[in-house]
Amino acid sequence: MASSAKRLLVITAFCLIGQLAVGAGLADGDCLDCHSDKTLATTNAAGVAKSLFVDPAILAASVHKTNACISCHADLTAKHPDDNRPVAAINCARCHEQQGESYGASVHGLARKTGHENAATCADCHGSHDILPPTSPASPLHFVRQAQTCGRCHTQEARDVTASVHGKAMATGKRDAPTCTDCHSEHKIEALKNDSALAISEVCSRCHASVYLDDKYDIPADRVKTYLESYHGLAAQNGSTVVANCASCHGYHKILPSSDPNSMINTNSLVATCGQCHPGADKMFVRGKIHEDISAAGNGHDLGGRISRWVRRIYLALIFGVVGAMFVHNALLFHKKVAAHLRASGRP
């Protein structure tokens, strides 16, 4: 509570400072005297022209409509532009402290810290003078426009998402379909490609382990559970860094149903998909099921499923039997040594 109150005081202080600066001689009208000119532009170091036009109507419709220009462009004084000082980059963290910290730890923020000036900034995703809430259909972060926004830099990924089951669902207005930020987070954006198999399964489980979503869209309800019970899932839980995860089989962005000929899990594609990790995999190899509920009763399941369950039971019996026998053997051996030591020392 104290932290929230402190943050509110800081934001209020920034606003007051901005208003004092405006009162000192740099009002919005002063800025718009020049920036309302549609022909106003500058040329960057690469020789590319950049418009400096600000549409007052767009600014008035944004979430920052009550902010003064100086609230964001805090480095400017009444001497601008005659002082020939370049305008400093906007520091959104002055008001959005928590989001700024998260951004700084994201792949974009870390890239900029290491000198990659083309990495996305707040304005690249949210806009500049035309910032709108993500719930607005006109916002670049509205769920149906996120792929387009991220696609400015991630071109192929955006095309793949648009063609996927998730992208097609979003295009029809289904907000339950995952967007870029649902998988990669919002401000602390993660790459995921170097994450462990278990971490990837946790991302997918946000939707595919949801009883509500499974029932609503008639999705098989056991996909995460059966993966975790499979060889791949057990290896992932034991710390394997090379075992297959959800994306290894289904794809990362271009996720398609098994009925689609282009799907990685289509019957005709399984040999190639499994062959990425299992060289020499053939049609017999890929007949085994990954999402087989081995804890279910055998009735209604195919022969392969029944064989898998019996093999699992035999292996479990052998494991518990061998480990249990070793434990009993070591316990008896320890007891024998203790008894011998006591006799040697003359104690009963």
Side-chain angles (χ1 to χ4, degrees):
M1 190 71 178
S3 177
S4 299
K6 182 179 178 181
R7 186 177 292 110
L8 180 61
L9 287 173
V10 171
I11 294 173
T12 302
F14 277 128
C15 292
L16 288 174
I17 291 171
Q19 293 302 323
L20 288 173
V22 171
L26 192 61
D28 288 356
D30 298 326
C31 301
L32 290 173
D33 282 343
C34 295
H35 287 277
S36 61
D37 180 359
K38 294 182 180 181
T39 65
L40 185 66
T42 188
T43 304
N44 61 20
V48 178
K50 180 181 178 181
S51 174
L52 297 178
F53 168 65
V54 177
D55 189 333
I58 290 178
L59 186 61
S62 77
V63 295
H64 289 156
K65 59 186 176 183
T66 58
N67 288 11
C69 301
I70 199 68
S71 299
C72 297
H73 297 282
D75 61 307
L76 299 184
T77 67
K79 295 180 181 180
H80 178 79
D82 297 328
D83 55 5
N84 293 318
R85 292 175 55 189
V87 179
I90 300 298
N91 181 14
C92 301
R94 292 172 65 245
C95 294
H96 304 284
E97 180 183 358
Q98 184 176 356
Q99 291 83 352
E101 290 178 3
S102 296
Y103 169 80
S106 72
V107 291
H108 295 149
L110 293 174
R112 292 192 69 83
K113 289 177 182 178
T114 56
H116 295 277
E117 296 182 358
N118 291 329
T121 64
C122 305
D124 289 324
C125 299
H126 291 271
S128 53
H129 297 102
D130 56 345
I131 297 177
L132 297 171
T135 52
S136 169
S139 168
L141 294 179
H142 189 263
F143 75 96
V144 297
R145 299 186 63 191
Q146 273 196 33
Q148 176 185 347
T149 298
C150 299
R152 295 171 189 163
C153 298
H154 306 282
T155 309
Q156 185 58 52
E157 290 83 353
R159 282 199 292 260
D160 288 344
V161 168
T162 301
S164 73
V165 290
H166 297 149
K168 290 177 180 178
M170 280 188 281
T172 62
K174 291 183 173 62
R175 179 59 190 93
D176 292 326
T179 63
C180 306
T181 55
D182 288 324
C183 296
H184 292 276
S185 298
E186 292 182 345
H187 293 98
K188 191 178 179 180
I189 296 176
E190 302 170 304
L192 295 181
K193 63 181 179 181
N194 295 323
D195 282 12
S196 68
L198 193 59
I200 297 295
S201 69
E202 288 174 354
V203 171
C204 299
S205 70
R206 296 170 190 169
C207 295
H208 289 278
S210 167
V211 175
Y212 167 75
L213 292 178
D214 290 342
D215 289 343
K216 183 175 180 179
Y217 296 104
D218 195 26
I219 301 172
D222 60 353
R223 288 303 181 249
V224 175
K225 173 179 177 290
T226 51
Y227 167 77
L228 293 174
E229 290 178 347
S230 71
Y231 167 79
H232 295 148
L234 293 172
Q237 293 174 76
N238 283 312
S240 173
T241 58
V242 296
V243 71
N245 55 53
C246 307
S248 302
C249 301
H250 293 273
Y252 290 85
H253 298 102
K254 196 175 182 179
I255 299 174
L256 302 170
S258 59
S259 57
D260 191 309
N262 295 316
S263 171
M264 293 177 64
I265 56 171
N266 182 268
T267 304
N268 297 323
S269 304
L270 283 175
V271 170
T273 299
C274 297
Q276 296 175 117
C277 298
H278 304 280
D282 56 19
K283 290 185 178 180
M284 287 296 295
F285 180 88
V286 302
R287 288 180 63 182
K289 291 186 177 181
I290 298 299
H291 293 288
E292 178 68 33
D293 190 354
I294 55 180
S295 62
N299 294 332
H301 288 255
D302 60 18
L303 178 61
R306 294 193 182 103
I307 292 174
S308 296
R309 280 190 293 280
W310 276 109
V311 169
R312 179 175 185 270
R313 290 167 184 167
I314 292 170
Y315 266 102
L316 288 174
L318 286 172
I319 291 170
F320 283 110
V322 172
V323 174
M326 290 176 62
F327 176 80
V328 172
H329 172 269
N330 290 336
L332 291 173
L333 186 62
F334 178 76
H335 179 268
K336 182 179 179 180
K337 289 183 177 180
V338 171
H341 176 74
L342 293 175
R343 284 196 300 270
S345 62
R347 286 181 286 178

